[in-house]
């Protein structure tokens, strides 16, 4: 099998094409154990969460085979898996919920305690890491998926079976970007028709949130990003107004008078979270979706919570239940109400993964797909 492995981090601002932090190499192909599946990956998708591991802002055990958003076909079925068959079309998801912890039993599998543990250690839900370097050194799995490859062994709980009519170039983006952005609006914020929404940050997650707000019938969907090249795309995704951060206060005032009902922060910035709190109306909610650097701290006027009834809500993987939400969202796509294909910038060979890191970091692409 071929996989892209990170052996050491490279600071943000470095040319990844020159530094080549991800090494695409041949590895021994492992077989699935009990409770696992072998997946032939057709397309994987590059996300800022991958970039944050490469630049060291999200600390993970190295070496690690990166990638957490992908689509493929089942190639092998481990012992004890009865509801998935060889050849099934599947989307991979990065939280393999155990079904037995406090979060899973409470209906919030995206916050699975066991998944958080194994995702942090680089293991799989049903056992230790399987990948090895040519010299025999352990390679950690990235979020239970390790999708920058032509093959992966994952837990059964890391896949959702989908219909064959969904093109792989569309399905590849549902396991993270669509699930996270849509879920932030529909699950975490539970936006109702007629409410107003502002989305700060127009990467694939933020644009998915724009699509979700439009789908939910929001009266105003205001999209904010300093990169003006993304503004027309946001309008195509359903935004009613778009601008830079300098335009945000004016656009929100024009649309709502005193603030939006919901602001979605999809940047990964404590400063933007604070700004979002200023832009919501009394009783409004800020949904934090981005992943700031772990050292970042948030300082805001405390009185706006009890004094103005504002809420700050964290949303991990869009508070999704993947087995429920992915088929639901694919139904919206099938009905022409969710233009996910707009997020797909282009497709490149996996050998160009480091150049893809540069393109993502500079805002040149929304979702670049890779084929090994």
């Amino acid at each position: 099998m071929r996989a892209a492995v990170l052996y050491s981090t490279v600071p943000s601002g470095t040319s990844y094409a020159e530094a080549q932090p991800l090494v695409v190499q041949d590895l021994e192909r492992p077989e699935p154990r009990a409770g696992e599946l072998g997946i032939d990956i057709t397309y994987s998708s590059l996300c800022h969460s991958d970039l944050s591991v490469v630049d060291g802002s999200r600390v993970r055990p190295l070496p690690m085979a990166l990638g957490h958003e992908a689509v493929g076909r089942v190639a092998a079925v481990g012992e004890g898996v009865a509801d998935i068959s060889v050849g099934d079309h599947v989307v991979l998801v990065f939280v393999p919920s155990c079904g037995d912890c406090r979060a899973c039993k409470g209906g919030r599998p995206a916050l699975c305690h066991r998944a958080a543990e194994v995702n942090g250690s680089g293991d799989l839900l049903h056992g230790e890491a399987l990948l090895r370097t040519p010299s025999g050194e352990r390679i950690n799995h990235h979020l239970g998926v390790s999708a920058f490859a032509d093959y992966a062994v994952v837990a059964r709980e890391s896949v959702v079976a989908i219909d064959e009519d969904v093109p792989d170039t569309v399905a590849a983006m549902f396991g993270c970007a669509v699930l996270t952005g849509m879920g932030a609006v529909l699950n975490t914020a539970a936006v109702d028709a007629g409410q107003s929404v502002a989305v700060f940050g127009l990467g694939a997650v933020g644009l998915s949130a724009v699509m979700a707000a439009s789908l939910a019938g929001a009266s105003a969907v205001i999209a904010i990003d300093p990169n003006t090249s993304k503004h027309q795309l946001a309008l195509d995704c359903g935004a009613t107004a778009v601008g830079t951060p300098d335009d945000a206060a004016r656009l929100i005032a024009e649309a709502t008078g005193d603030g939006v009902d919901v602001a979605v922060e999809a940047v990964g910035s404590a400063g933007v979270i604070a700004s979002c709190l200023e832009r919501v109306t009394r009783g409004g909610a800020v949904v934090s979706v981005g992943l700031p650097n772990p050292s970042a701290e948030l300082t805001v006027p405390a009185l706006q919570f009890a004094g103005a009834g504002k809420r700050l809500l964290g949303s991990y993987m869009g508070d999704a239940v993947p087995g429920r939400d992915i088929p639901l969202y694919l139904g919206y796509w099938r009905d022409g109400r969710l233009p996910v294909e707009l997020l797909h910038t282009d497709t490149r060979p996996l050998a160009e993964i480091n150049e893809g890191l540069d393109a993502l970091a500079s805002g040149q692409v929304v979702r670049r797909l890779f084929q090994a």
Side-chain angles (χ1 to χ4, degrees):
M1 61 173 283
R2 297 276 287 170
V5 181
L6 179 69
Y7 286 91
S8 59
T9 60
V10 174
S12 177
T14 303
S15 167
Y16 298 110
E18 293 180 4
Q20 296 285 303
L22 287 171
V23 179
V24 180
Q25 61 185 144
D26 292 317
L27 305 175
E28 185 174 346
R29 180 181 171 116
E31 292 299 319
R33 299 165 297 199
E36 296 176 339
L37 300 168
I39 308 294
D40 284 333
I41 294 174
T42 51
Y43 291 92
S44 56
S45 178
L46 180 59
C47 171
H48 272 93
S49 294
D50 304 307
L51 186 59
S52 67
V53 176
V54 174
D55 69 20
S57 59
R58 297 289 289 177
V59 178
R60 299 289 183 184
L62 303 181
M64 175 170 278
L66 288 196
H68 66 280
E69 185 179 67
V71 62
R73 301 298 191 287
V74 177
V77 177
E79 181 182 350
V81 178
D83 60 339
I84 292 285
S85 302
V86 170
D88 282 356
H89 195 199
V90 294
V91 168
L92 280 70
V93 296
F94 63 92
V95 179
S97 56
C98 72
D100 195 47
C101 70
R102 179 177 178 180
C104 289
K105 288 181 176 179
R108 304 188 72 185
L111 299 179
C112 174
H113 294 229
R114 175 63 179 155
E117 178 185 342
V118 297
N119 279 359
S121 67
D123 293 309
L124 296 177
L125 189 65
H126 299 292
E128 295 183 353
L130 288 168
L131 300 175
R132 297 292 183 271
T133 67
S135 63
E137 180 185 4
R138 167 183 162 131
I139 297 175
N140 295 289
H141 298 263
H142 185 212
L143 300 176
V145 178
S146 294
F148 295 149
D150 58 8
Y151 173 84
V153 170
V154 302
R156 162 64 186 90
E157 294 84 354
S158 290
V159 308
V160 173
I162 63 173
D163 293 333
E164 284 291 338
D165 70 314
V166 185
D168 281 8
T169 52
V170 169
M173 298 178 284
F174 272 78
C176 175
V178 176
L179 203 60
T180 300
M182 291 281 292
V185 171
L186 302 182
N187 296 332
T188 309
V191 169
D192 290 324
Q195 289 189 306
S196 53
V197 178
V199 177
F200 289 74
L202 300 178
V205 171
L207 289 167
S208 294
V210 168
M211 286 190 273
S214 178
L215 182 74
S219 59
V221 183
I222 302 157
I224 302 297
D225 196 290
N227 187 342
T228 58
S229 68
K230 296 181 178 180
H231 288 183
Q232 182 58 52
L233 181 56
L235 293 170
D236 295 340
C237 288
T240 58
V242 62
T244 68
D246 290 339
D247 301 320
R250 174 182 57 82
L251 292 174
I252 289 172
E254 290 174 353
T256 69
D258 68 341
V260 290
D261 295 298
V262 173
V264 177
E265 184 279 326
V267 178
S269 163
V272 176
I273 295 172
S275 179
C276 285
L277 279 163
E278 295 177 358
R279 303 293 171 227
V280 296
T281 188
R282 292 176 64 83
V286 173
V287 181
S288 174
V289 180
L291 294 173
N293 188 291
S295 64
E297 295 184 353
L298 178 65
T299 301
V300 297
L303 186 59
Q304 60 189 318
F305 298 109
K310 296 182 181 182
R311 293 165 292 146
L312 176 56
L313 307 173
S315 182
Y316 189 62
M317 201 172 73
D319 278 319
V321 180
R324 175 197 70 195
D325 292 343
I326 288 178
L328 176 65
Y329 300 163
L330 282 170
Y332 296 145
W333 168 82
R334 195 175 281 110
D335 293 341
R337 302 167 64 195
L338 190 67
V340 172
E341 59 275 4
L342 294 176
L343 306 180
H344 178 202
T345 304
D346 56 23
T347 301
R348 299 291 176 86
L350 186 60
E352 297 181 16
I353 186 68
N354 290 296
E355 290 81 356
L357 294 172
D358 284 324
L360 184 64
S362 63
Q364 298 174 41
V365 299
V366 176
R367 269 302 190 259
R368 173 166 286 176
L369 303 185
F370 291 92
Q371 288 182 297

